[in-house]
């Protein structure tokens, strides 16, 4: 009787491991989707650093959208952006970052997409609306 119990326990454990490995394989194939929210001008470098770490930590297996509005958007103006922000941002866009500029902030600051660093897309309905839409699409919301 003891042998039968040991055999059943071993069989159950093997089945559990097989199921776990299949679940891990499915998870590895799915790309994590993350929406970063940036509105504070003093957090621009911090957030760009977090995004860089996110790409490195997932070996690039992540879709990241950066939604920028409010005072932080000024840091991405091509004429006023620091060299560090410009180069870091360009590298992240090359890795797949999708930056979204709030349409309301653009209007309020009297700037256009062409005034921003290359790669920005327009969040026509506004940054906060875009963030809500992304969350509805399954993006994880992060506001560092």
């Amino acid at each position: 009787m003891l042998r039968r119990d040991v055999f059943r326990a071993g069989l159950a454990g093997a089945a559990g491991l097989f199921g776990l490995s299949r679940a891990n394989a499915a998870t590895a194939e799915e790309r994590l989707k993350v929406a970063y929210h940036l509105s504070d001008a003093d957090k621009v470098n911090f957030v760009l650093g977090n995004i860089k770490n996110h790409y490195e930590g997932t070996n690039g297996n992540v879709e990241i959208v950066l939604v920028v509005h409010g005072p932080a958007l000024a840091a991405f103006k091509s004429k006023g952006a620091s060299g560090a922000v410009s180069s870091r941002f360009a590298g992240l866009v090359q890795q797949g970052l999708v930056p979204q500029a709030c349409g309301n902030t653009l209007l309020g600051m009297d700037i256009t997409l062409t005034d921003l660093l290359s790669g920005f897309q327009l969040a026509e309905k506004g940054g906060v609306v875009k963030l809500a839409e992304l969350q509805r699409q399954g993006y994880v919301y992060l506001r560092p």
Side-chain angles (χ1 to χ4, degrees), residues 32-142:
L32 181 62
K33 300 186 309 184
V34 181
Y36 276 85
H37 180 179
L38 176 60
S39 62
D40 300 323
D42 61 334
K43 290 188 177 181
V44 170
N45 283 311
F46 179 71
V47 169
L48 293 178
N50 273 288
I51 293 170
K52 178 184 176 285
N53 293 340
H54 213 137
Y55 279 119
E56 289 174 359
T58 61
N59 293 319
N61 192 25
V62 61
E63 291 178 35
I64 300 177
V65 177
L66 171 64
V67 180
V68 184
H69 69 100
L73 197 57
F76 295 96
K77 288 173 67 174
S78 54
K79 289 187 179 176
S82 73
V85 169
S86 295
S87 64
R88 186 178 249 182
F89 180 78
L92 293 172
V93 169
Q94 282 184 329
Q95 286 186 271
L97 177 67
V98 179
Q100 298 273 321
C102 173
N104 297 326
T105 301
L106 289 173
L107 260 169
M109 296 176 99
D110 195 29
I111 59 176
T112 64
L113 276 180
T114 57
D115 295 323
L116 299 175
L117 296 173
S118 181
F120 267 98
Q121 298 175 5
L122 177 63
E124 286 184 59
K125 299 175 187 174
V128 292
V129 172
K130 184 65 178 180
L131 286 164
E133 289 172 349
L134 290 168
Q135 288 178 70
R136 186 175 15 166
Q137 295 168 17
Y139 282 76
V140 174
Y141 171 82
L142 293 178

